[in-house]
Amino acid sequence: MSAVPAGSATAETSDATCTRYVAPDIDQLRVRMGPSTSYPCVGGLAPGAQLTGLHRRDWLQITDGSLVGAWVSTDYLTPERPATTPAVPCPQFVGRVTTDNMFANIRSGPGFDHRVVGRYAHHELVTGRLVDDGPWVATDRGFVNAGTITVHATDPSTLNGRIPEHLLSPIPLHYNANAHFEPGYSPTTPRYLNGAALAALHRLQRAFRRRFGHFATIDLTYRSYAEQEYWFDKFGRPRAAEPGTSNHGLGLAIDFEEGDGPGIYSWGAPANDWLLTHQASFGFDNPFAPTLQEGEDYHFNFVG
């Protein structure tokens, strides 16, 4: 990195997102796990790379794209759009598989149409390079979706249920189930997901609608720590996960609509059969599918 800061961004604190570009007069901008040079470097951005984020004093927290949640110094940013787009916006990428008890798929190429050739285990270290501007990361074992990777916490478990809304993406309200249920959900209650998981969900929803004439209706997605406590106090083990351990607390899980009796997402129903048949094509996985009898037929995790 150049020793001379661009000096084009002033120190500020703001709740409004802004767009900035890596200054043209540096070699590479280090992306860090937190707002200080004492935090580990988890990526590098080429001159001209575009960023969206929130100013926090002399740092910008990235709120969009494959490095969401990570930080860069505003000393090396400029509001001026570059004349040309950089060929390699992110020369490096380092993180850990986010989920506590699932995995991240490794594919033969950068896309869901490529076959799954392996898995990164939960919390396993992933090192590689972003393909174009993401979300796919090329590693020495294949390609992994950056949405399954955390770049702003040494221990991804510490994020469970504590991810601020500005680091998640709101789900369109027309995906919501037309129901009211605890604790305070209605058809107009906002739901949130990891941004890459939401992009994959959009693809799934378009295909599902072509097949069934409507979207796959959703009950629950991201679940805060407080909400996890609510459900655990209500149901206890094994139906509810210990607070701080739910896949919902990482913005990587979806519960499609459930009911007291058999429904369209129940085992053996046409919609559930379609989801299980096509889940890998959209980067999702129902961990209970091997039995088709036990566990939650409506629960799907984003695994890339």
Side-chain angles (χ1 to χ4, degrees):
M1 183 187 297
S2 168
V4 181
S8 56
T10 58
E12 59 179 299
T13 300
S14 172
D15 290 329
T17 58
C18 62
T19 298
R20 293 292 183 266
Y21 304 89
V22 178
D25 57 348
I26 67 172
D27 299 323
Q28 182 185 131
L29 175 59
R30 292 188 179 94
V31 182
R32 296 188 178 276
M33 198 174 281
S36 164
T37 55
S38 63
Y39 285 93
C41 181
V42 293
L45 293 165
Q50 178 177 317
L51 296 170
T52 300
L54 293 171
H55 276 291
R56 296 289 186 252
R57 297 186 182 276
D58 298 325
W59 292 80
L60 184 90
Q61 187 177 33
I62 301 169
T63 58
D64 186 56
S66 301
L67 292 166
V68 64
W71 300 76
V72 293
S73 171
T74 56
D75 286 340
Y76 303 93
L77 301 180
T78 174
E80 300 172 3
R81 183 184 294 274
T84 58
T85 302
V88 185
C90 184
Q92 65 184 69
F93 181 101
V94 180
R96 290 190 179 276
V97 175
T98 305
T99 184
D100 295 329
N101 55 10
M102 288 291 292
F103 54 87
N105 277 333
I106 303 170
R107 294 184 179 265
S108 60
F112 296 118
D113 54 334
H114 295 277
R115 62 190 178 90
V116 176
V117 296
R119 293 175 173 178
Y120 280 102
H122 64 279
H123 295 185
E124 187 172 355
L125 184 68
V126 179
T127 302
R129 287 174 173 265
L130 282 181
V131 177
D132 298 323
D133 58 351
W136 295 95
V137 179
T139 76
D140 59 358
R141 293 168 58 185
F143 296 82
V144 63
N145 190 291
T148 63
I149 309 300
T150 290
V151 298
H152 57 294
T154 304
D155 178 4
S157 295
T158 61
L159 301 175
N160 195 302
R162 298 178 174 89
I163 303 175
E165 287 182 1
H166 70 264
L167 298 183
L168 295 167
S169 296
I171 295 174
L173 293 179
H174 54 259
Y175 291 172
N176 287 355
N178 187 27
H180 294 76
F181 54 90
E182 300 176 80
Y185 278 93
S186 76
T188 58
T189 302
R191 274 81 155 171
Y192 296 88
L193 271 182
N194 168 288
L198 179 58
L201 176 63
H202 287 325
R203 295 180 65 253
L204 181 151
Q205 291 284 22
R206 288 193 292 269
F208 188 95
R209 191 179 188 185
R210 286 194 297 269
R211 170 62 180 83
F212 293 98
H214 61 85
F215 293 118
T217 46
I218 290 171
D219 276 346
L220 296 171
T221 51
Y222 174 70
R223 196 175 291 172
S224 69
Y225 192 90
E227 187 178 344
Q228 292 179 52
E229 289 182 315
Y230 174 88
W231 290 115
F232 190 76
D233 289 344
K234 183 177 179 65
F235 293 117
R237 302 184 190 87
R239 182 171 177 181
E242 290 269 2
T245 66
S246 170
N247 284 325
H248 288 283
L250 299 168
L252 294 171
I254 297 171
D255 282 353
F256 291 105
E257 187 173 6
E258 59 176 306
D260 295 331
I264 64 171
Y265 305 108
S266 300
W267 301 128
N272 187 267
D273 285 346
W274 186 93
L275 287 170
L276 295 180
T277 299
H278 299 282
Q279 59 181 349
S281 300
F282 303 103
F284 290 95
D285 177 82
N286 182 313
F288 308 105
T291 66
L292 296 183
Q293 298 294 328
E294 301 174 3
E296 300 175 344
D297 41 20
Y298 47 80
H299 179 96
F300 290 77
N301 296 310
F302 180 69
V303 295

